[in-house]
């Protein structure tokens, strides 16, 4: 399942975050790449101990905890604190699959990367290139969203970021360990949840809503891993 969630951050939040990112101290992104990914990765990242990363990351997690669409789609159990990258001057990230498990810096916790997410801080007209390209069984999906918008997709996906040939692309990226490990099951639950929400608006007094809601929770109970 690949899903876009618009306006996760409002324009004022985007401006404040963008100003902080522009003034932050960036390091070579290859420092966090694996032995294979290091050959494909050319970008800048905020270091793990960056106070800017911590401050903006906390804001993102707080907002996501109040974003129904993200909660319904990702069914989050644990979230890796957001990280931040910057692409410019031909910077790119070639085809790769994210690590299956990530350690949370400064803690003993480890998180499985069921769902990958990118939150954009640059508008599409600010840079050329920089598309996130995600491959699945239906082909390639090209993503270049307005600032404040979020895309999430299965952590198992092969994906890349095309070279940024003009301007600068700022983004946050992070991973979610879901209550439901399998993407196909999460997709079914989201489809069922969407149908329940639509019926609630159309026929709010229907007794079938209780039955459908029960089916949703019984499936979640069957598939969830805590």
């Amino acid at each position: 399942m690949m899903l876009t969630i618009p306006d996760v951050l409002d324009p004022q939040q985007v401006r404040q975050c963008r100003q902080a990112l522009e003034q932050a101290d960036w390091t070579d992104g290859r420092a966090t790449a694996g032995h294979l990914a290091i050959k494909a990765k050319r970008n800048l990242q905020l270091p793990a101990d960056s106070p800017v990363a911590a401050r903006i990351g906390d804001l993102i997690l707080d907002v996501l905890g109040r974003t129904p669409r993200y909660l319904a789609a990702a069914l989050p159990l644990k979230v890796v604190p957001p990280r931040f990258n910057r692409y410019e001057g031909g910077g790119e990230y070639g085809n790769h699959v994210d690590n299956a498990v990530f350690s949370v810096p400064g803690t003993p916790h480890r998180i499985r990367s069921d769902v990958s997410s990118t939150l954009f801080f640059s508008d599409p007209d600010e840079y050329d290139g920089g598309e996130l390209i995600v491959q699945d069984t239906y082909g390639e999906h090209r993503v270049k969203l307005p600032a404040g918008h979020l895309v999430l997709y299965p952590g198992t996906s092969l994906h890349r970021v095309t070279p940024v040939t003009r301007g600068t692309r700022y983004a946050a990226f992070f991973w979610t360990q879901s209550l439901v490990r399998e993407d196909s099951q999460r997709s079914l639950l989201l489809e069922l949840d969407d149908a329940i929400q639509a019926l609630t608006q159309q026929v709010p007094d229907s007794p079938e809503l209780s039955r459908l809601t029960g089916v949703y929770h019984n499936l979640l109970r069957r598939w969830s891993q805590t």
Side-chain angles (χ1 to χ4, degrees):
M1 171 181 58
M2 188 170 183
L3 182 70
T4 296
I5 305 178
D7 300 318
V8 169
L9 297 182
D10 64 37
Q12 181 177 356
Q13 290 170 324
V14 170
R15 283 194 299 272
Q16 292 173 344
C17 293
R18 177 67 178 269
Q19 289 173 359
L21 292 172
E22 290 174 347
Q23 298 169 9
D25 294 323
W26 296 82
T27 59
D28 191 333
R30 289 175 294 182
T32 61
H35 70 284
L36 290 178
I38 195 170
K39 300 177 182 178
K41 189 175 186 181
R42 289 198 301 127
N43 67 5
L44 299 175
Q45 286 185 202
L46 292 185
D49 59 354
S50 165
V52 173
R55 186 169 69 252
I56 301 177
D58 286 345
L59 170 65
I60 293 171
L61 293 179
D62 179 64
V63 170
L64 288 176
R66 295 179 280 107
T67 303
R69 194 64 174 160
Y70 167 77
L71 297 175
L75 295 170
L77 176 63
K78 303 175 185 177
V79 183
V80 177
R83 304 178 185 185
F84 300 85
N85 55 28
R86 172 177 173 173
Y87 290 85
E88 59 192 1
E92 62 181 317
Y93 199 164
N95 275 334
H96 64 285
V97 174
D98 294 330
N99 292 346
V101 177
F102 286 90
S103 296
V104 179
T107 78
H109 302 302
R110 295 166 67 81
I111 296 177
R112 191 180 63 241
S113 58
D114 297 326
V115 181
S116 298
S117 297
T118 298
L119 176 62
F120 290 80
F121 285 102
S122 299
D123 282 316
D125 61 359
E126 294 185 79
Y127 60 98
D128 292 335
E131 291 94 351
L132 170 65
I133 299 181
V134 181
Q135 297 183 16
D136 62 19
T137 55
Y138 299 101
E140 291 190 347
H141 306 273
R142 306 178 74 92
V143 184
K144 189 173 182 180
L145 300 178
H149 287 37
L150 175 78
V151 61
L152 52 84
Y153 54 95
T156 55
S157 302
L158 184 69
H159 59 284
R160 68 185 186 272
V161 176
T162 64
V164 172
T165 58
R166 177 188 65 86
T168 302
R169 175 194 190 268
Y170 293 96
F173 59 102
F174 56 94
W175 299 273
T176 302
Q177 180 172 331
S178 179
L179 286 165
V180 177
R181 184 172 186 164
E182 293 297 327
D183 178 63
S184 60
Q185 294 171 344
R186 290 194 304 272
S187 297
L188 286 173
L189 286 168
L190 181 61
E191 186 175 357
L192 179 56
D193 185 53
D194 285 346
I196 291 171
Q197 298 303 322
L199 288 173
T200 299
Q201 296 296 319
Q202 297 168 15
V203 283
D205 298 324
S206 173
E208 303 308 318
L209 280 171
S210 295
R211 294 180 62 189
L212 286 174
T213 301
V215 170
Y216 175 90
H217 286 288
N218 285 332
L219 287 174
L220 180 58
R221 184 177 293 108
R222 175 182 290 269
W223 291 338
S224 64
Q225 301 176 2
T226 60

